[in-house]
Amino acid sequence: MLQITQSGKGKAVKTHASARNPRRATHRSILTLLDRYILRQLASRFATICAVIIVIMLIEHIHRLLNIVHYAGRKLPIVVQSITALLPEYLAIAMFVGLYLAVAVTVRRLTLRGELDVIEATGRSGPRMLSIVMMFAAIVGLCSALNEGWGRPWGERYLQQIGHAMDAGTYGLSLAAREPQNIAPGVFLYIETVDPASGMARQIVLRAPGQRIFADQARIFRSRSGQVVLSMRQGLNLTYQADGSVKSIKFDKLDLTLEGGLAHSLKSDASIEQREILKAQTASQLISAGDGQSLAVLGKRFLWSAFTVLGAPLGLLLGRPARRSAASFGLILGIIILTLELKLADLVESSGTDHPIMTALFLLSGITAMTFMVATCDRRLGHGFIDSILKNWVSRMSYHRKS
């Protein structure tokens, strides 16, 4: 706001309100109108990209999820709870990819529409643009760190609880009573009645090649690994021998897997169980444990959040096309770098090194150095140097072919 004051010599002098209020001027200099405009562009595109990625991942996994709950009596609670538990994992991937794409697409759009040239003409330098982008990246990086440290472990624990409930038959089964059900190749199940309250089947007859099993009650469900599991109580197992005799065994409890035939135990991998336990531990629990495997999982989570933040400067450098060009080769190169970062993050957990944190820091320093190298090339060769190099290469190849 401009005000007119009277000077000592009687001349009118214009003064800005912020000159008389330094605190107000400092506040305005932190985020200008153009800064807020760029932040709105980043935030809106980031939210849209994250939502699209989450929806795509849900569509991709919904078929497998419905297949797992095929034999459950209450499918909807399992599906809703499983999707809720998977949201932190989906959100981590969405933030990792979404930050890079949001920055790259925003810079690209501002450049193609000529807005970025106008912004730079007003005196907004490259470092100022970088500071705005990194401010937004710091907020996303903090959310990613909180999600990696506590959000995803909560989701893993919730998934494990759902899996244990399914393994225990808590959700019941959805098989019609008094109708033979072909639940596995060559295996037929007959149920006399089903208790709707407990989901317990009564008066069971199981017929398989060379085997008949009768039980007073049972539960049937599909485990998280996709196996159909039949847990029977109080019954009789008849096995027909090759010589025509019948072997009879009474049992109080018998658990069978029905994929590809009958088996009397569920196989488990101790290493897989250990990984599942570590995935469900929070960052503070991993730090307290301090062993090699815990630190490896912690290093992967730390690296994931750090790589998420590094996606912002990469998007700023690679998303801007060359002058008078709409090519997007730089944008594609950034996606390739993101894929490399994912592989490197997994390498920290699976490498089995004695010092996983140092390994994570070494990999982070390598990606950071590569980002600085891209920034140097962008400064020396010009914006969109990837597009320019590839365009010149294609032109030379075309010229040599014609000649």
Side-chain angles (χ1 to χ4, degrees):
M1 182 179 66
L2 293 176
Q3 291 186 355
I4 307 298
T5 61
Q6 192 73 19
S7 67
K9 296 182 179 180
K11 294 181 180 180
V13 179
K14 294 181 179 180
T15 60
H16 199 283
S18 61
R20 295 180 292 102
N21 191 348
R23 181 178 300 177
R24 185 175 180 181
T26 303
H27 173 72
R28 286 194 172 186
S29 64
I30 294 176
L31 284 178
T32 64
L33 182 62
L34 288 175
D35 295 336
R36 292 194 293 271
Y37 173 73
I38 295 173
L39 284 175
R40 283 196 301 269
Q41 295 288 319
L42 288 174
S44 61
R45 285 187 174 84
F46 176 75
T48 302
I49 292 172
C50 286
V52 170
I53 292 175
I54 291 175
V55 170
I56 291 175
M57 296 189 69
L58 284 174
I59 294 175
E60 180 185 359
H61 290 88
I62 195 68
H63 176 73
R64 179 174 178 271
L65 188 58
L66 292 176
N67 186 46
I68 290 176
V69 303
H70 177 72
Y71 288 99
R74 293 177 291 165
K75 297 180 177 63
L76 184 60
I78 303 177
V79 173
V80 173
Q81 293 172 15
S82 299
I83 291 176
T84 303
L86 287 171
L87 279 179
E89 180 179 353
Y90 294 165
L91 184 60
I93 299 174
M95 287 191 293
F96 179 79
V97 180
L99 180 60
Y100 166 77
L101 289 180
V103 175
V105 172
T106 299
V107 172
R108 178 179 174 82
R109 184 177 178 83
L110 291 176
T111 303
L112 295 178
R113 294 172 60 177
E115 297 181 34
L116 195 56
D117 293 332
V118 175
I119 292 174
E120 291 178 346
T122 61
R124 292 294 182 271
S125 60
R128 179 67 180 181
M129 182 73 175
L130 178 62
S131 64
I132 297 301
V133 170
M134 292 308 297
M135 181 190 305
F136 184 76
I139 298 174
V140 176
L142 178 60
C143 295
S144 176
L146 293 175
N147 185 57
E148 289 295 321
W150 288 269
R152 291 183 73 171
W154 171 84
E156 291 293 337
R157 290 195 301 271
Y158 198 13
L159 275 179
Q160 291 175 12
Q161 292 174 5
I162 297 172
H164 294 324
M166 291 178 62
D167 292 345
T170 304
Y171 295 100
L173 69 161
S174 60
L175 293 177
R178 298 182 181 181
E179 293 182 8
Q181 304 289 331
N182 185 8
I183 59 176
V187 180
F188 293 88
L189 178 68
Y190 177 83
I191 300 172
E192 182 65 26
T193 59
V194 177
D195 185 359
S198 62
M200 185 72 72
R202 307 288 182 181
Q203 302 300 318
I204 308 300
V205 179
L206 182 70
R207 181 171 64 86
Q211 199 169 17
R212 300 290 187 277
I213 300 177
F214 304 88
D216 292 337
Q217 58 185 11
R219 290 183 186 274
I220 185 171
F221 53 90
R222 186 178 290 272
S223 67
R224 288 168 292 175
S225 61
Q227 295 175 311
V228 179
V229 181
L230 180 65
S231 180
M232 294 181 288
R233 303 290 185 272
Q234 304 296 327
L236 179 66
N237 184 5
L238 301 179
T239 304
Y240 297 91
Q241 306 294 327
D243 57 0
S245 60
V246 180
K247 184 179 180 180
S248 174
I249 300 177
K250 290 185 178 181
F251 60 87
D252 293 328
K253 178 182 178 181
L254 181 62
D255 293 339
L256 305 175
T257 60
L258 305 178
E259 293 292 342
L262 296 180
H264 294 277
S265 64
L266 292 175
K267 297 181 180 180
S268 61
D269 190 340
S271 61
I272 295 178
E273 293 179 357
Q274 180 64 20
R275 287 199 300 270
E276 293 294 327
I277 293 174
L278 292 175
K279 287 168 64 176
Q281 291 184 347
T282 62
S284 55
Q285 291 173 336
L286 294 174
I287 294 174
S288 301
D291 59 283
Q293 291 183 330
S294 299
L295 292 179
V297 175
L298 183 65
K300 176 185 177 181
R301 296 182 187 178
F302 160 75
L303 203 58
W304 186 284
S305 299
F307 284 162
T308 299
V309 175
L310 282 179
L314 279 175
L316 183 61
L317 294 168
L318 299 176
R320 187 169 183 175
R323 188 174 296 274
R324 296 185 299 275
S325 174
S328 57
F329 296 111
L331 191 65
I332 297 173
L333 176 62
I335 296 176
I336 296 175
I337 294 176
L338 291 186
T339 306
L340 174 63
E341 291 176 349
L342 288 176
K343 299 297 182 182
L344 292 178
D346 292 334
L347 181 64
V348 174
E349 183 179 8
S350 59
S351 61
T353 59
D354 296 332
H355 305 284
I357 300 298
M358 295 301 298
T359 303
L361 291 174
F362 174 76
L363 295 175
L364 177 60
S365 62
I367 296 297
T368 304
M370 183 177 62
T371 304
F372 276 106
M373 183 176 66
V374 173
T376 303
C377 294
D378 183 80
R379 185 174 63 255
R380 293 184 177 180
L381 302 178
H383 302 306
F385 66 96
I386 298 293
D387 299 336
S388 300
I389 292 173
L390 290 178
K391 183 179 179 180
N392 293 334
W393 180 77
V394 171
S395 299
R396 290 180 181 179
M397 293 295 295
S398 301
Y399 174 77
H400 287 303
R401 285 184 180 179
K402 290 180 180 179
S403 59

